[in-house]
Amino acid sequence: MLKRLLIFCLIFSGLVLRVESQTIDPTVRSNKFIVIGDWGRNGDDQQLEVADQLIHQVKKYKPDFIISSGDNFYPNGVRSIHDPLWKHSFEDIYKSYHLQIDWYAILGNHDYLGDPDAQVEYSRISRRWNMPERYYSKTIPIKGSRKKALFIYIDTNSLIPEFYANSIYGPNVAKSDSSAQKKWMKKLIEEEDDEIAWKIVVGHHPVYTGGRTNGYDTRSIRKSLENLLRHSEVDLYISGHDHSLQYLEHNGIKQVISGSASEVTQSDTLPYTKFTASEAGFILFSLTEEKIEFDVINKSGVTLYHSKIEK
């Protein structure tokens, strides 16, 4: 009865398109990981509630790593590796023993309001924070298989022309070579390797979104990346930026948005929206050689949506 009431409320509110009863099986041998984004608020908004639920899901599924989809520190990034926000927004919030696993992070626009390279530098003193460069890649072996999955972590901020003219963003993005990044990314995506079963790109800004941030930044990312993602062998694009949880399929591009690990904003339905929820939470993934499954989980532990991508 409670579940039916929840489904009715979510559909009536217009925030969720569909609720799935199926969830990822924790006993299946697979590479599991969680994506959270837009979280660093000193525990304010709903960051603490989401962090508590993150612990529950990590205990249950034992993921191999966590991906942070950017905007790691509000409101203006961090100034150095000694910035108090490292303690108050990250270390003290995600302090559970169960969360002491690898975190693979990328930079969001708010991170560019501070010193983005301080987040790169923090990788050298942290046992779990991984951001070796502003953009980088990671190849992982798929459990129970001879195949591998390629994760390409990009810096979308340098792909937004308007940022270069901004008095605050400008000096930081000027240190990035957007052309070099795109050439590097294109080479990785188009490189033929029979061992690579999945190619997943992680960037802060979405290509498509039903959220309120569908402005000049999203349009710039779409102009910069849409054709590359559309005509390549990228299986999934993961982003944050919008403070919501979404799954969209358009022009051959499959994209999830996980950007509501603290603040939540309204997300509307587009013609190609498969799922959207204006709720605090994150997304859990399970990857095998044959398929990628994912559960959208809110701060209360309810699986709002389940889907899969198959080869």
Side-chain angles (χ1 to χ4, degrees):
M1 181 67 184
L2 179 60
K3 184 175 181 180
R4 289 181 180 178
L5 179 60
L6 173 63
I7 292 172
F8 173 78
C9 291
L10 291 172
I11 293 175
F12 181 79
S13 68
L15 300 182
V16 176
L17 290 183
R18 184 165 73 249
V19 176
E20 299 282 349
S21 59
Q22 184 181 358
T23 59
I24 291 171
D25 184 347
T27 66
V28 171
R29 189 181 184 191
S30 64
N31 298 80
K32 297 180 180 68
F33 60 94
I34 289 174
V35 178
I36 68 170
D38 303 73
W39 41 265
R41 294 178 182 272
N42 292 304
D44 288 343
D45 289 326
Q46 301 177 73
Q47 187 184 6
L48 287 176
E49 294 96 321
V50 174
D52 286 343
Q53 187 54 230
L54 186 63
I55 295 171
H56 290 303
Q57 299 302 324
V58 169
K59 286 181 180 179
K60 179 178 179 180
Y61 289 98
K62 299 178 175 55
D64 303 288
F65 56 92
I66 294 169
I67 292 176
S68 174
S69 58
D71 276 1
N72 307 312
F73 299 97
Y74 288 92
N76 300 315
V78 291
R79 298 298 178 183
S80 71
I81 60 173
H82 305 294
D83 195 304
L85 287 181
W86 284 109
K87 173 177 171 60
H88 300 309
S89 281
F90 179 60
E91 301 291 359
D92 285 355
I93 303 296
Y94 309 106
K95 63 183 179 180
S96 168
Y97 165 82
H98 301 280
L99 302 183
Q100 303 305 308
I101 57 178
D102 282 327
W103 288 57
Y104 293 97
I106 58 171
L107 296 164
N109 52 295
H110 281 270
D111 300 311
Y112 260 78
L113 295 174
D115 182 359
D117 292 323
Q119 296 193 40
V120 174
E121 185 65 23
Y122 199 72
S123 301
R124 297 178 174 87
I125 63 172
S126 172
R127 296 190 64 175
R128 58 174 169 165
W129 183 265
N130 292 274
M131 190 191 292
E133 301 292 343
R134 292 191 184 189
Y135 59 89
Y136 60 98
S137 66
K138 178 74 176 178
T139 302
I140 63 170
I142 298 175
K143 296 176 181 178
S145 169
R146 295 182 179 180
K147 299 288 188 176
K148 300 176 182 178
L150 172 64
F151 289 80
I152 302 172
Y153 297 91
I154 65 172
D155 177 12
T156 55
N157 297 280
S158 66
L159 304 178
I160 301 173
E162 289 84 352
F163 280 6
Y164 290 85
N166 185 285
S167 60
I168 300 176
Y169 289 120
N172 281 327
V173 293
K175 297 177 183 178
S176 299
D177 189 335
S178 60
S179 296
Q181 179 182 199
K182 288 193 69 175
K183 288 179 181 177
W184 165 85
M185 181 183 174
K186 188 173 187 292
K187 182 177 183 296
L188 277 178
I189 291 173
E190 296 180 349
E191 192 171 49
E192 294 186 9
D193 187 340
D194 292 338
E195 291 187 349
I196 301 297
W198 300 98
K199 294 179 181 179
I200 299 170
V201 177
V202 184
H204 178 64
H205 294 86
V207 178
Y208 312 112
T209 177
R212 293 177 178 174
T213 61
N214 193 10
Y216 71 90
D217 46 3
T218 301
R219 292 194 299 270
S220 294
I221 297 304
R222 185 157 57 242
K223 182 178 180 180
S224 181
L225 296 181
E226 184 177 43
N227 285 337
L228 178 58
L229 296 173
R230 182 180 180 184
H231 299 296
S232 67
E233 295 182 356
V234 170
D235 299 288
L236 180 64
Y237 181 68
I238 295 173
S239 72
H241 194 50
D242 270 319
H243 299 172
S244 58
L245 302 162
Q246 301 180 51
Y247 178 51
L248 310 97
E249 291 184 5
H250 189 50
N251 286 334
I253 300 172
K254 295 178 175 65
Q255 178 193 268
V256 298
I257 297 176
S258 180
S260 60
S262 56
E263 184 185 60
V264 176
T265 55
Q266 178 65 37
S267 174
D268 298 320
T269 302
L270 301 174
Y272 42 85
T273 300
K274 298 295 182 181
F275 168 82
T276 184
S278 299
E279 292 203 37
F282 47 82
I283 303 179
L284 167 72
F285 290 83
S286 174
L287 182 151
T288 66
E289 182 179 339
E290 294 79 22
K291 63 183 177 180
I292 299 174
E293 291 185 85
F294 59 93
D295 289 346
V296 179
I297 302 170
N298 70 8
K299 67 177 183 180
S300 300
V302 176
T303 298
L304 302 175
Y305 180 73
H306 172 92
S307 191
K308 60 185 175 182
I309 300 168
E310 296 181 297
K311 282 294 187 182

